[in-house]
Amino acid sequence: MSAITLDRVGKRYGEGAASVHALHDVTLEIDTGEFVAIVGPSGSGKSTLLNLVAGIDTASTGRVRVLGNDLGALADDARSDLRLRELGFVFQGFNLFPTFTAEENVAWPRRFRGDTWLEARRRAADALAGIGLDAGARGRVPAELSGGEQQRVAIARALVNEPRLLLADEPTGNLDSETAATILGLFARLHAEQALTVLLVTHNPAAAAHADRQVTLRDGRVVGDVLGAAPVRGVRS
């Protein structure tokens, strides 16, 4: 079963001669349980593609389906609800609340789902334990945590609602190489243990190597799709 399907998707910003085409006629299918890296240089359309899959932006042409939902047919509230309940996000900049502790940062998505504060904190503690954050760090605010610890908190926050799809946008861009490798290894473990579908956007070949499949974008077009060393799904390269 497909987790993500893009059918001849295009994205244009602006109108007329000043418009910019970020994606051109992209067709892509990602199965449930796959770990896929979207790679390519800056300006290739990677983040645009991720925003379309997340329902943060809408396609100009074509159709985007995520977990069986046609995003173009959903109202804004329905897309927001899908993000809350089914999708998890990890960003390069961590995006943690600076005055919240690590545990509180992870707990708030559960509060949005209607959990009591006590239940939300319990689930947050379980999520933080699951990604290996030291117990002593859970009561600290982000400024008191290392970059690697902050990213672990961000991953726990992404997972606390038990999403079916994890989206990560350059999640190791602010980390040193050793910490980055640890975080990417954590993604691989979560994917293997939970059969989680992971879509990783990166320009870093070392990061992409942790995925099972690599899709290459250039100038808004898919120019390569490889599983291991072999091309898959007949994509032109």
Side-chain angles (χ1 to χ4, degrees):
M1 176 180 176
S2 296
I4 301 167
T5 302
L6 279 70
D7 183 14
R8 306 197 69 176
V9 168
K11 179 60 184 179
R12 183 182 67 252
Y13 295 101
E15 298 293 337
S19 66
V20 175
H21 288 261
L23 293 175
H24 301 266
D25 198 31
V26 171
T27 294
L28 179 66
E29 187 170 335
I30 296 172
D31 291 338
T32 299
E34 279 198 283
F35 184 173
V36 177
I38 305 295
V39 300
S42 297
S44 61
K46 303 187 303 297
S47 292
T48 298
L49 187 151
L50 195 73
N51 288 339
L52 294 180
V53 170
I56 295 171
D57 208 346
T58 56
S60 302
T61 58
R63 176 178 293 183
V64 180
R65 295 184 63 85
V66 175
L67 303 175
N69 298 275
D70 182 347
L71 298 190
L74 296 182
D76 289 346
D77 286 350
R79 287 199 301 270
S80 295
D81 191 62
L82 179 69
R83 285 194 294 271
L84 176 65
R85 297 182 182 278
E86 303 287 3
L87 278 59
F89 300 86
V90 183
F91 304 98
Q92 178 176 345
F94 312 140
N95 292 356
L96 302 176
F97 293 118
T99 60
F100 284 16
T101 66
E103 189 173 271
E104 289 167 345
N105 265 285
V106 177
W108 72 261
R110 295 299 315 187
R111 289 287 288 149
F112 274 118
R113 289 196 61 167
D115 285 1
T116 65
W117 187 238
L118 181 64
E119 176 64 11
R121 293 284 291 267
R122 184 188 69 78
R123 287 183 175 268
D126 288 345
L128 287 165
I131 54 87
L133 186 71
D134 186 73
R138 298 174 197 173
R140 299 176 192 155
V141 297
E144 298 172 331
L145 301 173
S146 69
E149 288 173 329
Q150 290 184 65
Q151 195 59 294
R152 285 180 182 268
V153 174
I155 293 169
R157 180 187 58 194
L159 296 174
V160 73
N161 278 343
E162 300 178 342
R164 295 163 60 191
L165 173 61
L166 181 65
L167 306 176
D169 191 1
E170 299 284 5
T172 60
N174 288 332
L175 304 176
D176 63 80
S177 58
E178 183 177 353
T179 304
T182 299
I183 293 299
L184 290 163
L186 177 59
F187 278 5
R189 177 175 67 81
L190 292 168
H191 164 252
E193 292 179 355
Q194 302 181 16
L196 187 65
T197 306
V198 180
L199 184 61
L200 167 69
V201 163
T202 183
H203 68 277
N204 186 341
H210 286 76
D212 300 323
R213 176 182 169 200
Q214 296 184 33
V215 175
T216 302
L217 291 182
R218 187 173 299 120
D219 298 327
R221 303 179 188 274
V222 175
V223 297
D225 190 343
V226 296
L227 181 63
V232 295
R233 289 179 171 78
V235 173
R236 297 182 301 273
S237 59

